[in-house]
Amino acid sequence: MARITLDHIRHAYGPNPQSDKDYALREVDHEWNDGGAYALLGPSGCGKTTLLNIISGLLQPSHGRILFDGKDVTNLATQARNIAQVFQFPVIYDTMTVYDNLAFPLRNRGVAEPEVDRRVRDMLEVIDLAPMARRKAQGLTADQKQKISLGRGLVRNDVNAILFDEPLTVIDPHMKWVLRSQLKRLHKQFGFTMVYVTHDQTEALTFADKVVVMYEGEIVQIGTPTELFERPSHTFVGYFIGSPGMNVIPAKLDGNRVTVGAETLSLDYVPKAAAGAKTELGIRPEFIRIGREGMPVTINRVEDIGRQKIVRADFAGQPISIVVTEDAEIPAEARVTFDPTAINIYANSWRVGREG
Ligand code: ATP
């Protein structure tokens, strides 16, 4: 397995790109650890597949280099990069048996037959298709075929990385959960470097150690699920991760004082925002308390979502969401307090930390 270095990668599909908006990838400059499980998460069109195809070699970046363990592979074709890929739809040989489909990538590389047999049998157990080993693939259901694709990706142990492009789209919801857990277990066991593209936050957060959030051709944060939840680097991450997403409220800064509408809060630090920047306060719905103390809000509606309720309200002229437990009392003259440790401050959409 390999460490993957994305060295100042930019990509434009059209000729003569002039400005940032002509680039499908604006600038990606990161190093991903050997053995890491990364999920590329973001909305449709943000550049996930473009980045994955640059890693796999299906696409040459317009600028920058890609390195596996320090070796420049930018100009190498997919086959020479020694990676396994699993796509949205199954890529298998319909006329071969399930067993032979799994054995194919190994036989192709000259692995000795007893070793092929051992690995294929192990993989058949993992993907739960052992009873069907001798069946031709063509009669199988879409999710059984996709399990073969996953198995073909995982059966080799000599790859630099395994790349997954929304591999569970055709799988039914229960099986999705099972396969995701199996992937996670296999990752722990074998330490593959995995890159997994998805637009589904649950899939990303349960699969990956590090989630790479993309927005408009840029990586806006790479973090653990907890970091993305507690300290979103960009307002987009706050909004995209969580359900409902983070409340982002226009705010004025003056030293450690933050003013939203007629309300002023004091922080225990001075946020480092450049003069003239658009400043906002971010607070997740889970960290707002409703009661009789604090700042006034107008409640518009309460949605029951099982063990919790989502309160939709207006605060300082802005719509906000608040998550409370199902038995929480919501007074008629409701007021709110924000957990001070859960407040994030943003300048031009990027989170700002302490001064100094
Ligand atoms: P999705 O989840 O819909 O697959 P994505 O995040 O994978 O989206 P990309 O497919 O990488 O996004 O697309 C990024 C941008 O590049 C989009 O604006 C898309 O329209 C554009 N794009 C993608 N492929 C091509 C292509 N072959 N030619 C021109 N533009 C393209």
Side-chain angles (χ1 to χ4, degrees):
M1 292 287 148
R3 180 178 88 245
I4 300 175
T5 309
L6 306 161
D7 178 16
H8 295 91
I9 301 248
R10 284 161 78 75
H11 187 72
Y13 284 97
N16 307 320
Q18 305 293 326
S19 67
D20 272 355
K21 67 176 176 17
D22 298 329
Y23 283 88
L25 280 185
R26 292 186 182 180
E27 169 94 22
V28 174
D29 189 40
H30 282 281
E31 187 156 284
W32 295 353
N33 297 333
D34 185 2
Y38 294 88
L40 298 187
L41 175 68
S44 186
C46 70
K48 304 179 295 291
T49 302
T50 303
L51 183 55
L52 196 75
N53 289 346
I54 287 173
I55 297 172
S56 71
L58 289 174
L59 202 60
Q60 293 281 310
S62 327
H63 305 274
R65 298 183 312 155
I66 167 141
L67 298 95
F68 288 174
D69 278 338
K71 179 174 175 274
D72 189 344
V73 296
T74 319
N75 297 316
L76 289 187
T78 304
Q79 294 80 346
R81 294 191 187 192
N82 204 19
I83 44 167
Q85 297 188 79
V86 183
F87 299 96
Q88 197 165 356
F89 297 101
V91 179
I92 59 170
Y93 297 100
D94 263 347
T95 52
M96 282 188 192
T97 62
V98 173
Y99 184 103
D100 287 338
N101 262 289
L102 296 177
F104 188 81
L106 300 174
R107 289 178 177 149
N108 219 8
R109 283 166 186 80
V111 176
E113 205 54 32
E115 177 67 6
V116 171
D117 189 58
R118 192 185 63 73
R119 282 209 240 151
V120 170
R121 283 176 193 282
D122 281 355
M123 194 45 65
L124 283 165
E125 293 299 327
V126 168
I127 59 176
D128 214 15
L129 287 182
M132 302 197 170
R134 299 291 160 200
R135 292 255 310 261
K136 287 246 165 64
Q138 63 201 1
L140 303 184
T141 61
D143 58 74
Q144 287 168 333
K145 288 184 180 179
Q146 189 62 335
K147 286 204 252 173
I148 303 176
S149 283
L150 286 171
R152 282 164 55 92
L154 298 167
V155 78
R156 291 169 58 194
N157 61 2
D158 62 340
V159 290
N160 281 320
I162 308 180
L163 311 181
F164 301 88
D165 195 352
E166 307 246 10
L168 303 184
T169 311
V170 294
I171 308 278
D172 76 61
H174 170 69
M175 197 34 102
K176 258 188 191 165
W177 187 84
V178 172
L179 285 179
R180 229 167 31 220
S181 314
Q182 280 174 341
L183 277 180
K184 195 156 178 134
R185 188 169 54 76
L186 282 168
H187 178 254
K188 282 217 173 78
Q189 196 176 346
F190 298 112
F192 305 126
T193 306
M194 291 188 180
V195 182
Y196 188 109
V197 164
T198 179
H199 60 262
D200 176 336
Q201 61 163 303
T202 313
E203 207 157 296
L205 298 172
T206 52
F207 164 79
D209 329 315
K210 287 284 177 74
V211 179
V212 179
V213 185
M214 296 188 65
Y215 176 59
E216 294 187 342
E218 270 184 297
I219 292 178
V220 284
Q221 187 166 8
I222 300 185
T224 62
T226 310
E227 286 162 353
L228 299 180
F229 187 76
E230 293 181 356
R231 293 284 173 252
S233 297
H234 190 280
T235 50
F236 174 77
V237 179
Y239 149 82
F240 197 66
I241 304 277
S243 182
M246 186 172 73
N247 298 296
V248 179
I249 311 166
K252 287 202 185 76
L253 289 185
D254 181 11
N256 71 333
R257 292 158 70 79
V258 189
T259 304
V260 249
E263 306 297 327
T264 297
L265 307 161
S266 293
L267 303 174
D268 67 353
Y269 67 97
V270 176
K272 206 167 60 180
K278 177 187 72 172
T279 47
E280 291 161 304
L281 175 152
I283 178 113
R284 290 216 174 260
E286 293 80 357
F287 298 109
I288 302 179
R289 300 276 160 274
I290 294 195
R292 294 191 169 78
E293 305 285 318
M295 305 172 287
V297 282
T298 309
I299 303 212
N300 297 326
R301 133 171 139 258
V302 179
E303 296 163 19
D304 207 326
I305 52 161
R307 299 173 68 180
Q308 292 177 315
K309 289 188 280 203
I310 303 175
V311 180
R312 309 283 184 183
D314 280 325
F315 167 73
Q318 295 291 321
I320 60 165
S321 303
I322 306 158
V323 171
V324 295
T325 52
E326 62 180 338
D327 54 357
E329 188 213 340
I330 302 166
E333 299 276 295
R335 290 178 167 263
V336 291
T337 48
F338 295 172
D339 175 347
T341 62
I343 291 175
N344 290 295
I345 299 295
Y346 296 88
N348 293 336
S349 304
W350 291 94
R351 182 170 175 272
V352 285
R354 291 161 189 272
E355 193 92 63

